[in-house]
Amino acid sequence: EPKVYVSPGSSSLLDGHGETLVATCTAERGRPAAEVFWESDLPGRTAADTQLEPEGTTTTLVQYVWAPTRDAFGRSLSCVVRHPALSKDFRIPYRLNVL
């Protein structure tokens, strides 16, 4: 079973400042690799990366990139992870704080 967590982007979400890394969802050391994606009704995009780890495990990282707008303050997106060791999809909500 992978260790799952969400990390915020390195900078604040500022209205009108263009595309920004909002957050990264990580499913660490899964065997087999976990399926990781973001659920959101915002017009963002994702970028995925997989890293082979020791002992045949895989770490999957999916970044969510979006151009922040003030009207999205308080809305949320969700990191979703699917893996055979999990009985159901694992979801982590991430609330947006747009300045």
Side-chain angles (χ1 to χ4, degrees):
E1 180 176 315
K3 176 182 175 191
V4 180
Y5 54 93
V6 172
S7 308
S10 59
S11 58
S12 297
L13 300 179
L14 301 173
D15 181 31
H17 278 239
E19 283 198 338
T20 305
L21 172 60
V22 175
T24 302
C25 183
T26 303
E28 195 172 77
R29 299 178 64 92
R31 185 184 313 149
E35 179 185 352
V36 180
F37 57 96
W38 286 99
E39 281 184 346
S40 174
D41 58 355
L42 299 170
R45 63 182 175 84
T46 60
D49 184 32
T50 56
Q51 302 169 354
L52 298 177
E53 304 286 353
E55 302 164 12
T57 61
T58 303
T59 294
T60 305
L61 302 95
V62 180
Q63 297 179 326
Y64 189 83
V65 178
W66 169 66
T69 56
R70 172 178 333 214
D71 61 323
F73 178 84
R75 289 173 63 187
S76 63
L77 48 137
S78 293
C79 164
V80 182
V81 176
R82 289 185 182 143
H83 189 270
L86 301 170
S87 60
K88 61 181 182 175
D89 290 355
F90 186 79
R91 288 178 164 17
I92 300 175
Y94 186 81
R95 188 163 302 278
L96 300 171
N97 182 17
V98 181
L99 305 175

